[in-house]
DNA sequence: GTCCGGCTGA
DNA sequence: TCAGCGGGAC
């Protein structure tokens, strides 16, 4: 006979963050534990990772960062050079938007990335997912960054029957409600 | 041959 | 609202 439960299970976010502490991969765009992420690096990696695997991105990411270490350097590059460096990654609109956004940040924002998800969302090539991811990772904002897989997981978790893409808004609300205020205290633990 | 960890333009 | 975008993985 099963023992009566005397304590309840930790929340989903607690369990996920505990898993992350043990299993997270070492990736070139991740800041060392306890250190703050550079928004330029997070942005560059997130754009490259759109529809593209970690394995395919890693080499390109290192190459871009070595050649253009700051958003100002990237903004000063010729678009032809950016596109040539991007060759092989696919979805070349990403490279054109990357360069355009770098120019906006460098020339209209003094080289500082927008400080909120909402403001990031206005940059070319930055949509709902990417703005949330950058703000969450670089600014510790309480943002749910939902990709297509997260949408499926949340839909199953909450048995949402609404077909996609109508369900997107509801799924985002459900996911946002799972994001704890104190996520940073756990995920930044050394 | 099919399917992707998104965004944009129409 | 949705087709199209590129290359790799299965």
């Amino acid at each position: 006979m099963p023992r009566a439960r005397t304590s309840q299970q930790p929340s989903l976010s607690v369990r996920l963050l505990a898993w992350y502490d043990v299993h997270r991969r070492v990736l070139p765009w991740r800041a060392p534990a306890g250190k703050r992420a550079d928004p330029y690096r997070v942005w560059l990696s997130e754009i490259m990772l759109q529809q593209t695997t970690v394995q395919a991105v890693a080499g390109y990411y290192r190459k871009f960062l070595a050649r253009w270490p700051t958003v100002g350097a990237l903004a000063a590059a010729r678009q032809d050079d950016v596109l040539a460096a991007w060759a092989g990654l696919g979805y070349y609109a990403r490279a054109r938007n990357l360069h355009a956004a770098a120019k906006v940040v460098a020339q209209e924002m003094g080289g500082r990335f927008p400080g909120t998800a909402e403001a990031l969302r206005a940059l070319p090539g930055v949509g709902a997912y990417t703005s949330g991811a950058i703000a969450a990772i670089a600014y510790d904002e309480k943002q749910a960054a939902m990709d297509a897989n997260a949408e499926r997981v949340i839909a199953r978790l909450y048995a949402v029957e609404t077909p996609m893409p109508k369900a997107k808004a509801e799924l985002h609300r459900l996911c946002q409600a799972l994001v704890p205020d104190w996520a940073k205290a756990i995920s930044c633990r050394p």
Side-chain angles (χ1 to χ4, degrees):
Chain A
M1 181 145 146
R3 214 164 16 115
R5 292 171 62 93
T6 54
S7 61
Q8 61 180 350
Q9 172 130 243
S11 70
L12 181 62
S13 51
V14 166
R15 282 177 285 155
L16 281 171
L17 289 165
W19 181 94
Y20 182 78
D21 280 344
V22 175
H23 297 290
R24 68 179 167 202
R25 290 179 285 181
V26 175
L27 297 172
W29 44 85
R30 291 207 171 138
K35 298 200 73 172
R36 191 155 205 83
D38 174 4
Y40 169 66
R41 300 182 184 207
V42 176
W43 164 73
L44 177 62
S45 69
E46 288 296 337
I47 299 298
M48 287 183 164
L49 287 163
Q50 288 168 2
Q51 304 287 296
T52 309
T53 59
V54 162
Q55 165 147 11
V57 163
Y60 283 89
Y61 173 82
R62 279 190 268 261
K63 180 172 72 175
F64 267 66
L65 198 62
R67 185 162 177 185
W68 299 297
T70 65
V71 66
L74 182 58
R78 292 179 33 196
Q79 195 196 59
D80 286 355
D81 290 334
V82 176
L83 285 169
W86 194 272
L89 259 189
Y91 284 110
Y92 294 94
R94 290 185 296 169
R96 291 188 292 273
N97 286 330
L98 184 83
H99 190 228
K103 286 184 161 181
V104 170
V105 173
Q107 295 168 12
E108 297 175 26
M109 317 184 64
R112 313 276 305 195
F113 269 81
T116 66
E118 186 184 357
L120 286 164
R121 175 72 180 77
L123 293 174
V126 177
Y129 167 79
T130 305
S131 61
I134 298 171
I137 295 167
Y139 305 146
D140 291 324
E141 247 185 73
K142 184 176 171 178
Q143 285 286 338
M146 284 190 85
D147 57 38
N149 291 323
E151 285 172 348
R152 282 201 296 278
V153 169
I154 297 296
R156 290 165 189 171
L157 192 58
Y158 289 99
V160 173
E161 307 274 1
T162 315
M164 290 290 286
K166 271 206 81 154
K168 277 180 180 284
E170 182 188 2
L171 294 173
H172 190 272
R173 279 195 300 277
L174 290 166
C175 190
Q176 187 69 46
L178 292 173
V179 182
D181 289 317
W182 38 260
K184 133 181 158 168
I186 303 296
S187 63
C188 290
R189 192 168 57 199

